[in-house]
Amino acid sequence: DAGVIQSPRHEVTEMGQEVTLRCKPISGHDYLFWYRQTMMRGLELLIYFNNNVPIDDSGMPEDRFSAKMPNASFSTLKIQPSEPRDSAVYFCASSPGRHGYTFGSGTRLTVV
Amino acid sequence: GNSVTQMEGPVTLSEEAFLTINCTYTATGYPSLFWYVQYPGEGLQLLLKATKADDKGSNKGFEATYRKETTSFHLEKGSVQVSDSAVYFCALTPRGSNYKLTFGKGTLLTVNP
């Protein structure tokens, strides 16, 4: 099993540009989570899906952020327009249920 | 609501020293408890878990016991190695159908040779 696959690993973009982060969960995992990690705020849950349906998006910071899961093997997190304060490491994780998550390696986003 | 409190870091130890990282939690009912480890530049990896009271999770020489009476899940290792240098996160997920993990803020461990 290749684990949770995120792309790109690093992204540098200019303020105002659209950024799309991608995630392929582990096959058979019904839950998919997007987290953001910064030094100041630690790990923050942005949104999670169950069977491709968004369940809780209360952590999405503002309307500039959106996430989709069109099928069981793919999810995107989009920021439009991006701002410097969005700079962080974004993690995707998938889970079969209550016994823990598997995290991807993360996307390090830098908005200049 | 659910919350996890873990000891502030950073923690710096010499190789072969004993490690304890304290973790306490607040949750309704009896949650499942986890320790995750994050090595530099990587994502979080599940280190160990316990799903009911008095369970002991263990992996790679690390141990933690689910203590319902003290709502704690302290991480211990008898002899740390330089390769254990990482950030350690305590986390919980509540009973029922909500599988959302609540994380502590993380504790940075540095082990010197």
Side-chain angles (χ1 to χ4, degrees):
Chain A
D1 193 336
V4 176
I5 300 172
Q6 291 187 247
S7 63
R9 285 299 307 271
H10 303 274
E11 176 80 34
V12 180
T13 191
E14 292 186 348
M15 184 173 64
Q17 296 298 306
E18 177 179 296
V19 175
T20 299
L21 312 182
R22 297 172 176 80
C23 175
K24 176 179 169 55
I26 291 174
S27 176
H29 283 193
D30 295 334
Y31 291 83
L32 184 139
F33 303 82
W34 282 101
Y35 281 84
R36 178 170 68 176
Q37 186 178 37
T38 61
M39 289 293 292
M40 292 297 294
R41 294 188 297 271
L43 273 167
E44 303 173 277
L45 176 65
L46 301 178
I47 185 172
Y48 80 95
F49 296 83
N50 180 22
N51 292 322
N52 314 337
V53 176
I55 302 300
D56 183 352
D57 65 354
S58 60
M60 296 286 262
E62 46 197 278
D63 291 346
R64 299 184 296 106
F65 286 69
S66 62
K68 294 181 180 179
M69 192 165 185
N71 57 61
S73 58
F74 184 65
S75 177
T76 59
L77 178 67
K78 185 178 294 186
I79 308 173
Q80 166 64 15
S82 58
E83 297 182 2
R85 60 195 168 113
D86 301 330
S87 298
V89 181
Y90 291 81
F91 288 104
C92 175
S94 70
S95 172
R98 75 205 318 240
H99 296 299
Y101 300 1
T102 302
F103 281 79
S105 298
T107 295
R108 181 173 295 277
L109 174 65
T110 303
V111 183
V112 299
Chain B
N2 301 317
S3 67
V4 175
T5 303
Q6 58 183 109
M7 63 187 288
E8 296 272 339
V11 174
T12 302
L13 297 173
S14 297
E15 208 164 20
E16 300 184 1
F18 184 84
L19 168 71
T20 300
I21 301 178
N22 289 338
C23 171
T24 57
Y25 66 88
T26 302
T28 53
Y30 302 113
S32 295
L33 302 173
F34 306 86
W35 277 100
Y36 282 82
V37 58
Q38 184 178 28
Y39 299 103
E42 298 184 13
L44 282 73
Q45 302 174 25
L46 179 63
L47 180 60
L48 55 84
K49 66 183 180 185
T51 57
K52 61 183 188 295
D54 300 324
D55 267 2
K56 178 185 283 188
S58 62
N59 186 24
K60 299 181 181 180
F62 291 89
E63 293 183 340
T65 301
Y66 190 143
R67 300 287 188 200
K68 183 180 65 174
E69 318 78 45
T70 54
T71 61
S72 64
F73 193 56
H74 305 320
L75 182 68
E76 297 182 336
K77 187 175 185 182
S79 176
V80 294
Q81 305 300 313
V82 173
S83 57
D84 295 327
S85 298
V87 180
Y88 292 81
F89 293 89
C90 186
L92 69 82
T93 186
R95 293 288 183 202
S97 59
N98 177 1
Y99 299 129
K100 188 168 68 174
L101 270 174
T102 297
F103 284 94
K105 292 188 181 300
T107 302
L108 173 63
L109 170 67
T110 302
V111 180
N112 296 317

Coordinates of all heavy atoms in Angstrom, one line a residue, chain A residues 24-58:
Chain A
K24 N -4.7 11.7 -2.4 CA -5.3 10.3 -2.7 C -5.2 9.5 -1.4 O -4.2 9.2 -0.9 CB -4.4 9.7 -3.8 CG -4.9 8.3 -4.1 CD -4.0 7.7 -5.2 CE -4.2 6.2 -5.4 NZ -5.7 5.9 -5.7
P25 N -6.4 9.2 -0.9 CA -6.4 8.4 0.4 C -6.1 6.9 0.2 O -6.0 6.5 -1.0 CB -7.9 8.6 0.9 CG -8.7 8.7 -0.4 CD -7.8 9.5 -1.4
I26 N -6.0 6.2 1.2 CA -5.8 4.8 1.1 C -7.1 4.1 0.7 O -8.2 4.5 1.2 CB -5.3 4.2 2.5 CG1 -3.9 4.7 2.8 CG2 -5.4 2.7 2.5 CD1 -3.4 4.3 4.1
S27 N -7.0 3.2 -0.2 CA -8.2 2.5 -0.7 C -8.9 1.8 0.4 O -8.3 1.1 1.3 CB -7.8 1.5 -1.8 OG -8.9 0.8 -2.2
G28 N -10.2 2.0 0.5 CA -11.0 1.4 1.5 C -11.3 2.2 2.8 O -12.1 1.9 3.6
H29 N -10.5 3.3 2.9 CA -10.7 4.2 4.0 C -11.9 5.1 3.7 O -11.9 5.8 2.7 CB -9.5 5.1 4.3 CG -8.4 4.3 5.0 ND1 -7.3 4.9 5.5 CD2 -8.2 3.0 5.2 CE1 -6.5 4.0 6.1 NE2 -7.1 2.8 5.9
D30 N -12.9 5.1 4.6 CA -14.1 5.9 4.4 C -14.0 7.4 4.8 O -14.9 8.1 4.5 CB -15.3 5.3 5.2 CG -15.6 3.8 4.7 OD1 -15.3 3.6 3.5 OD2 -16.1 3.0 5.5
Y31 N -13.0 7.7 5.6 CA -12.9 9.0 6.1 C -11.7 9.7 5.6 O -10.6 9.1 5.5 CB -12.8 9.0 7.7 CG -14.1 8.6 8.3 CD1 -14.4 7.2 8.5 CD2 -15.0 9.5 8.8 CE1 -15.5 6.8 9.1 CE2 -16.1 9.1 9.4 CZ -16.4 7.8 9.6 OH -17.6 7.4 10.2
L32 N -11.8 11.0 5.2 CA -10.7 11.8 4.8 C -10.7 13.1 5.5 O -11.8 13.7 5.6 CB -10.8 12.0 3.3 CG -9.6 12.7 2.7 CD1 -9.2 12.1 1.3 CD2 -9.8 14.2 2.5
F33 N -9.5 13.5 5.9 CA -9.4 14.7 6.8 C -8.4 15.7 6.1 O -7.3 15.2 5.6 CB -8.9 14.4 8.2 CG -9.8 13.4 8.9 CD1 -9.7 12.0 8.6 CD2 -10.8 13.8 9.8 CE1 -10.5 11.1 9.3 CE2 -11.6 12.9 10.5 CZ -11.4 11.5 10.2
W34 N -8.6 16.9 6.2 CA -7.6 17.9 5.9 C -7.2 18.7 7.1 O -8.1 19.3 7.8 CB -8.1 18.9 4.8 CG -8.2 18.4 3.4 CD1 -9.2 17.9 2.7 CD2 -7.1 18.3 2.5 NE1 -8.9 17.5 1.5 CE2 -7.5 17.8 1.3 CE3 -5.7 18.7 2.6 CZ2 -6.7 17.6 0.2 CZ3 -4.9 18.5 1.5 CH2 -5.4 17.9 0.3
Y35 N -5.9 18.8 7.4 CA -5.4 19.5 8.5 C -4.4 20.6 8.0 O -3.8 20.5 7.0 CB -4.6 18.6 9.5 CG -5.5 17.8 10.4 CD1 -6.0 16.6 10.0 CD2 -5.7 18.2 11.7 CE1 -6.8 15.8 10.8 CE2 -6.5 17.5 12.6 CZ -7.0 16.3 12.1 OH -7.8 15.5 13.0
R36 N -4.3 21.6 8.8 CA -3.3 22.7 8.6 C -2.4 22.7 9.8 O -2.9 22.7 11.0 CB -3.9 24.0 8.3 CG -3.0 25.2 8.1 CD -3.7 26.4 7.6 NE -4.5 27.0 8.7 CZ -5.2 28.1 8.5 NH1 -5.1 28.8 7.3 NH2 -6.0 28.6 9.4
Q37 N -1.1 22.8 9.6 CA -0.1 22.9 10.7 C 0.7 24.1 10.6 O 1.4 24.4 9.6 CB 0.8 21.7 10.8 CG 1.7 21.6 12.0 CD 2.5 20.3 12.1 OE1 3.0 19.9 11.1 NE2 2.7 19.8 13.3
T38 N 0.7 25.0 11.7 CA 1.6 26.1 11.7 C 2.2 26.1 13.1 O 1.8 25.5 14.1 CB 0.8 27.4 11.5 OG1 -0.1 27.5 12.6 CG2 0.2 27.5 10.2
M39 N 3.3 26.9 13.2 CA 4.0 27.0 14.5 C 3.1 27.6 15.5 O 3.0 27.3 16.7 CB 5.3 27.8 14.4 CG 6.4 27.1 13.6 SD 7.0 25.6 14.6 CE 7.8 26.5 15.9
M40 N 2.3 28.7 15.1 CA 1.5 29.4 16.0 C 0.3 28.7 16.5 O -0.1 28.7 17.7 CB 1.1 30.7 15.4 CG 2.2 31.7 15.1 SD 2.9 32.3 16.6 CE 1.6 33.2 17.4
R41 N -0.4 27.9 15.6 CA -1.7 27.3 16.0 C -1.6 25.8 16.1 O -2.6 25.2 16.4 CB -2.7 27.8 15.0 CG -3.0 29.3 15.0 CD -4.2 29.6 14.2 NE -3.9 29.3 12.8 CZ -3.4 30.2 11.9 NH1 -3.1 31.4 12.4 NH2 -3.2 29.9 10.7
G42 N -0.5 25.2 15.8 CA -0.4 23.8 15.8 C -1.2 23.1 14.7 O -1.3 23.7 13.6
L43 N -1.8 22.0 15.0 CA -2.6 21.2 14.0 C -4.1 21.7 14.1 O -4.7 21.6 15.2 CB -2.5 19.7 14.3 CG -1.4 19.0 13.7 CD1 -1.3 17.6 14.3 CD2 -1.6 18.8 12.2
E44 N -4.6 22.1 13.0 CA -6.0 22.5 13.0 C -6.7 21.6 12.0 O -6.3 21.5 10.8 CB -6.1 23.9 12.5 CG -5.4 25.0 13.3 CD -5.5 26.3 12.7 OE1 -4.6 26.6 11.8 OE2 -6.3 27.1 13.0
L45 N -7.9 21.1 12.4 CA -8.7 20.3 11.4 C -9.5 21.3 10.6 O -10.2 22.2 11.2 CB -9.7 19.4 12.2 CG -10.7 18.6 11.3 CD1 -9.9 17.7 10.4 CD2 -11.7 17.9 12.2
L46 N -9.4 21.2 9.3 CA -10.1 22.1 8.4 C -11.5 21.6 8.0 O -12.5 22.2 8.1 CB -9.3 22.4 7.2 CG -7.9 23.0 7.4 CD1 -7.2 23.2 6.0 CD2 -8.0 24.4 8.1
I47 N -11.5 20.3 7.6 CA -12.7 19.7 7.1 C -12.5 18.2 7.1 O -11.4 17.7 7.0 CB -13.1 20.2 5.7 CG1 -14.4 19.7 5.2 CG2 -11.9 19.9 4.7 CD1 -14.9 20.3 3.9
Y48 N -13.6 17.4 7.2 CA -13.5 16.0 7.0 C -14.7 15.5 6.2 O -15.8 16.0 6.3 CB -13.2 15.2 8.2 CG -14.3 14.9 9.2 CD1 -14.9 13.7 9.1 CD2 -14.6 15.8 10.2 CE1 -15.9 13.4 10.0 CE2 -15.6 15.5 11.1 CZ -16.3 14.2 11.0 OH -17.2 13.9 11.9
F49 N -14.5 14.4 5.5 CA -15.4 13.7 4.7 C -15.7 12.3 5.2 O -14.7 11.6 5.6 CB -14.9 13.6 3.2 CG -14.7 14.9 2.5 CD1 -13.6 15.7 2.7 CD2 -15.7 15.5 1.7 CE1 -13.4 16.9 2.1 CE2 -15.5 16.7 1.0 CZ -14.3 17.4 1.2
N50 N -16.9 11.9 5.0 CA -17.2 10.4 5.2 C -17.9 10.0 3.9 O -18.9 10.5 3.5 CB -18.1 10.3 6.4 CG -18.5 8.8 6.7 OD1 -17.8 7.9 6.2 ND2 -19.5 8.6 7.4
N51 N -17.4 8.9 3.3 CA -17.9 8.4 2.1 C -18.2 9.5 1.1 O -19.2 9.6 0.4 CB -19.3 7.7 2.4 CG -19.0 6.4 3.1 OD1 -18.1 5.7 2.9 ND2 -19.9 6.1 4.0
N52 N -17.1 10.4 1.0 CA -17.1 11.5 0.0 C -18.0 12.7 0.3 O -18.0 13.6 -0.4 CB -17.4 11.0 -1.4 CG -16.7 9.7 -1.8 OD1 -15.7 9.4 -1.3 ND2 -17.3 9.0 -2.8
V53 N -18.7 12.6 1.4 CA -19.6 13.7 1.8 C -19.0 14.5 2.9 O -18.5 14.0 3.9 CB -21.0 13.1 2.3 CG1 -21.9 14.2 2.8 CG2 -21.6 12.3 1.2
P54 N -18.9 15.9 2.7 CA -18.4 16.7 3.8 C -19.2 16.6 5.0 O -20.4 16.8 5.0 CB -18.4 18.1 3.2 CG -19.4 18.0 2.1 CD -19.4 16.7 1.6
I55 N -18.6 16.3 6.2 CA -19.4 16.2 7.4 C -19.2 17.4 8.3 O -20.2 17.8 8.9 CB -18.9 14.9 8.2 CG1 -19.0 13.7 7.3 CG2 -19.6 14.8 9.5 CD1 -20.5 13.4 6.9
D56 N -18.0 17.9 8.4 CA -17.8 19.0 9.3 C -16.7 19.9 8.6 O -15.6 19.6 8.5 CB -17.3 18.5 10.6 CG -17.0 19.6 11.7 OD1 -17.1 20.8 11.3 OD2 -16.7 19.3 12.8
D57 N -17.2 21.1 8.3 CA -16.2 22.1 7.7 C -16.1 23.3 8.5 O -15.7 24.4 8.1 CB -16.7 22.5 6.3 CG -18.0 23.2 6.3 OD1 -18.6 23.4 7.3 OD2 -18.4 23.7 5.2
S58 N -16.4 23.2 9.8 CA -16.3 24.3 10.7 C -14.9 24.9 10.9 O -14.8 26.0 11.4 CB -16.9 23.9 12.1 OG -16.2 22.9 12.6

